[in-house]
């Protein structure tokens, strides 16, 4: 028998968790879940005590907690990225990490499209104008159709985003470390990073956060984008020099920025540069959240556990 714990809510109704709990109990395992989030290491350690398998979402699971989790064998992460987990410590202790890759592809890509539409058609601004008794004068904007969209990072989410932009009639170019035959068949052209940044009307950042991508979009690379470019980041905040991004917006060297992720999780401090930058649309790290995505995520994170218990682990993070 193994002790399995879900350490935080994962955005689905209680009956969904209860159904999975019954299945685990029927297999002879102990299961406990918590309906509150915590980032307190002491509380996380208490919740992890004696557990063989732990499930978490996107709250940090730091080294000091992993080191105290003496029984831990497997970590099922209800998230695509695992940069909030002490991966090196887990590897040193032989703890298997599995993620929920793929659950949010459609959801994130759709928000990116929504942001692009707002940036080009001034939807949020138009709402405030009409409420203030204004008219459509000066609100017209531009279409996605016929524009060049640059995707930086053509993984699963990047490719889904590209497909949606193609459906709008955009031309898509991309920068990625490797090339994908499906992408080529769709007519997506691979270019250098510099070309993608300098020749795109819309730039969507879709890279994972790791040691190689932290600070990837530097002040110098931000400067390669044109004064009318729309930049969208629904990936990870620390990939971008966000102070430089705000500076470029305020100085008119970048047209518009749509940002869902920051250097920290919202609420943001009052002096955070992007809060005071011109021509921005900011959302509170919601790109991955939809009813459908949360249900997919719950299924994947429990399926990871079932697969591990059966000796055939899936979604293993190297």
């Amino acid at each position: 028998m193994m002790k399995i714990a879900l350490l935080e809510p994962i955005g689905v109704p209680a009956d969904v968790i209860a159904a999975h709990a019954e299945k685990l109990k029927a297999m002879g395992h102990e299961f406990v879940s918590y309906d509150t989030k915590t980032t307190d290491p002491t509380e996380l350690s208490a919740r992890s005590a004696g557990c063989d398998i732990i499930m978490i979402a996107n709250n940090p699971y730091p080294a000091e907690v992993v080191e105290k989790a003496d029984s831990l064998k497997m970590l099922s992460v209800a998230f695509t990225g695992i940069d909030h987990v002490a991966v090196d410590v887990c590897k040193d202790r032989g703890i298997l990490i599995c993620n929920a890759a793929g659950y949010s592809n459609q959801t994130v890509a759709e928000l990116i499209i929504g942001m692009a539409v707002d940036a080009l058609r001034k939807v949020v601004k138009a709402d405030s104008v009409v409420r203030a008794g204004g008219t459509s004068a000066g609100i017209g904007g531009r279409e996605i159709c016929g524009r060049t969209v640059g995707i930086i990072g053509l993984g699963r989410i990047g490719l889904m985003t590209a497909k949606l932009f193609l459906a709008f009639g955009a031309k898509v170019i991309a920068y990625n470390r490797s090339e994908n035959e499906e992408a080529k068949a769709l007519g997506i052209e691979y270019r250098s990073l510099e070309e993608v940044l300098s020749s795109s009307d819309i730039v969507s950042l879709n890279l994972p956060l790791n040691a190689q991508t932290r600070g990837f979009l530097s002040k110098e690379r931000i400067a390669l984008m044109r004064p009318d470019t729309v930049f969208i980041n629904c990936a990870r905040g620390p990939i971008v020099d966000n102070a430089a991004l705000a500076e470029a917006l305020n100085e008119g060297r970048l047209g518009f920025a749509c940002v869902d992720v920051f250097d920290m999780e919202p609420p943001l401090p009052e002096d955070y540069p992007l809060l005071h930058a011109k021509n921005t649309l900011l959302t509170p790290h919601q790109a991955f959240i939809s009813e459908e995505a949360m249900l997919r995520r719950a299924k994947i994170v429990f399926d990871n556990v079932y697969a591990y218990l059966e000796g055939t682990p899936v979604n293993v993070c190297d």
Side-chain angles (χ1 to χ4, degrees):
M1 183 187 79
M2 290 196 177
K3 182 178 179 181
I4 303 163
L6 173 60
L7 298 194
E8 59 182 304
I10 54 173
V12 295
D15 62 328
V16 174
I17 301 298
H20 285 291
E22 286 304 313
K23 181 175 179 178
L24 289 171
K25 291 173 183 176
M27 295 168 69
H29 303 292
E30 178 184 352
F31 177 80
V32 60
S33 64
Y34 297 85
D35 58 7
T36 58
K37 292 185 177 184
T38 183
T39 57
D40 177 41
T42 301
E43 176 61 21
L44 283 170
S45 291
R47 294 183 182 188
S48 302
C51 291
D52 301 279
I53 298 173
I54 285 171
M55 291 177 278
I56 62 169
N58 62 324
N59 274 334
Y61 201 70
E64 60 188 296
V65 177
V66 177
E67 289 168 351
K68 293 178 182 178
D70 295 333
S71 302
L72 187 58
K73 301 175 182 66
M74 187 263 193
L75 190 63
S76 186
V77 182
F79 218 58
T80 302
I82 57 170
D83 48 280
H84 57 300
V85 175
V87 175
D88 290 341
V89 181
C90 287
K91 287 183 177 180
D92 289 344
R93 297 175 64 87
I95 298 167
L96 189 73
I97 303 175
C98 301
N99 73 352
Y103 81 93
S104 65
N105 296 357
Q106 184 74 28
T107 296
V108 174
E110 286 190 10
L111 184 64
I112 291 169
I113 293 293
M115 286 178 153
V117 170
D118 178 78
L120 293 178
R121 298 299 304 276
K122 308 173 186 177
V123 178
V124 173
K125 181 180 179 180
D127 177 83
S128 62
V129 166
V130 76
R131 292 177 190 279
T135 71
S136 61
I139 297 292
R142 297 173 290 164
E143 296 179 350
I144 292 175
C145 184
R147 313 228 86 78
T148 297
V149 176
I151 307 290
I152 301 176
L154 204 63
R156 294 180 182 181
I157 293 175
L159 185 57
M160 179 62 73
T161 300
K163 289 177 179 178
L164 295 185
F165 273 117
L166 288 168
F168 272 78
K171 175 183 178 181
V172 177
I173 61 176
Y175 167 78
N176 201 62
R177 289 188 303 174
S178 58
E179 297 189 1
N180 180 297
E181 293 304 317
E182 181 184 359
K184 290 181 179 179
L186 290 169
I188 298 169
E189 300 176 12
Y190 285 92
R191 303 281 182 85
S192 69
L193 177 62
E194 291 72 23
E195 284 183 277
V196 170
L197 289 169
S198 63
S199 60
S200 297
D201 299 297
I202 302 167
V203 172
S204 177
L205 181 66
N206 295 96
L207 292 170
L209 176 62
N210 52 44
Q212 290 71 44
T213 62
R214 187 175 293 274
F216 181 84
L217 206 66
S218 61
K219 182 175 183 177
E220 294 72 23
R221 286 173 170 167
I222 290 170
L224 294 173
M225 289 187 280
R226 303 193 311 251
D228 63 345
T229 296
V230 173
F231 172 71
I232 303 173
N233 184 9
C234 287
R236 289 291 187 275
I239 299 173
V240 181
D241 182 338
N242 288 299
L245 181 64
E247 185 179 88
L249 290 161
N250 287 330
E251 294 178 359
R253 293 183 283 107
L254 183 63
F256 201 95
C258 306
V259 182
D260 183 58
V261 286
F262 310 92
D263 297 284
M264 69 290 293
E265 288 295 309
L268 302 175
E270 290 184 7
D271 61 349
Y272 192 72
L274 284 174
L275 287 177
H276 310 286
K278 296 188 294 186
N279 300 324
T280 55
L281 173 66
L282 309 180
T283 53
H285 197 183
Q286 69 179 69
F288 67 97
I289 302 171
S290 70
E291 291 181 12
E292 295 87 351
M294 294 300 94
L295 289 170
R296 284 193 295 266
R297 181 171 77 160
K299 183 178 187 305
I300 292 170
V301 78
F302 277 97
D303 283 350
N304 287 347
V305 173
Y306 304 144
Y308 175 78
L309 292 171
E310 292 167 1
T312 55
V314 295
N315 296 318
V316 176
C317 300
D318 296 326

